[in-house]
Amino acid sequence: MTGLPPTPTRPEGRAPAHAALDAAIRALDAAEARQRPVDMVRALTQVGHGYRALAEGAAAERYLQQALRWARTLGGVDASVDLLCDLSELAVEQATDPALDRAEARAARDRARDHGFEAATLARQCADPAWEVTVLLRISDVLDRCGDHDDAVALQCRAIDLIARSQMTSLPEPRAAAPSTTM
C-alpha cells in the first residue's frame, strides 16, 4: 500500500475530486506492483493532482516529489520539467495560504522559485521549442506571483525569442526576382 494520509472528510460538491483521487490511488497500487518508471510517474502524478484538487497541498507535494524522483530515471527531461512546473505552481499556491506564518510562506515561495528555475534551466534540453515556451510562461507566472518581476520578464523575453526564432525558420523561402524587362 502507498502509506497515504487519511482521506479528508468529503464535503458536498467534492465527490468528483474524491472519486478521481480514489481512482488514482488504485492506479498507483497497480503501478507499484509493476515498478515500471513511466507507470510510477503517471500514477504518482495523478495522486498528487488528486490531493491538489482537494486543497491538500502537503500531500500533493509529497506525491509530486516522488513522481519527480521516478521521472528522473526515465532519461528524458520532459516529465521532470512538467513536474517541476507543477511543484512550482503548487508551492506558490501554498505561499498564499493565510494559515501559514511568514516563515512558512517564505519557505513555500523559495521552493516555488527553486523548482521554477530548475524547470526553466532543464527546458533548454527539450526538443520542442513550443513546449519550452509553455514552460517558460508557466514559470514566469509563478515568479511574478512570488514578486520576482524582473526574472518573470526575463523568462517572457526568452519565450518571445524562441517564438521569433521558430517563426523565422518556418518562413517560406524568398522567391527569386523576375528578370526586369524594362531598360
Side-chain angles (χ1 to χ4, degrees):
M1 187 64 172
T2 60
L4 300 172
T7 303
T9 57
R10 298 178 186 238
E12 292 303 314
R14 296 181 96 180
H18 282 282
L21 178 59
D22 291 342
I25 290 169
R26 285 191 302 278
L28 178 56
D29 288 339
E32 285 177 331
R34 291 186 300 275
Q35 290 291 304
R36 288 183 29 212
V38 70
D39 294 338
M40 289 298 295
V41 170
R42 185 177 303 118
L44 288 163
T45 300
Q46 289 173 343
V47 172
H49 288 170
Y51 277 113
R52 186 176 179 185
L54 292 170
E56 295 288 333
E61 188 171 10
R62 280 193 306 276
Y63 283 95
L64 293 175
Q65 283 285 2
Q66 289 179 47
L68 179 60
R69 282 191 291 279
W70 277 96
R72 288 181 170 153
T73 68
L74 294 175
V77 297
D78 289 1
S80 295
V81 168
D82 194 35
L83 284 160
L84 286 163
C85 288
D86 285 346
L87 283 162
S88 185
E89 291 163 344
L90 177 62
V92 81
E93 287 171 15
Q94 291 173 322
T96 61
D97 183 347
L100 295 182
D101 64 31
R102 289 181 69 162
E104 291 171 321
R106 184 176 30 255
R109 277 191 302 280
D110 288 345
R111 286 194 314 277
R113 287 182 189 104
D114 290 346
H115 294 311
F117 285 125
E118 185 178 355
T121 300
L122 287 175
R124 291 182 189 274
Q125 298 175 28
C126 296
D128 181 4
W131 170 244
E132 185 176 353
V133 167
T134 300
V135 168
L136 295 174
L137 294 177
R138 284 177 75 181
I139 298 307
S140 173
D141 179 59
V142 167
L143 294 176
D144 191 55
R145 291 170 63 192
C146 286
D148 297 339
H149 306 296
D150 291 342
D151 289 325
V153 169
L155 290 183
Q156 290 172 6
C157 290
R158 185 172 139 197
I160 290 168
D161 182 56
L162 282 169
I163 292 168
R165 280 192 277 143
S166 69
Q167 289 175 345
M168 293 299 290
T169 59
S170 64
L171 292 176
E173 290 292 320
R175 294 183 188 170
S180 176
T181 56
T182 58
M183 293 206 173

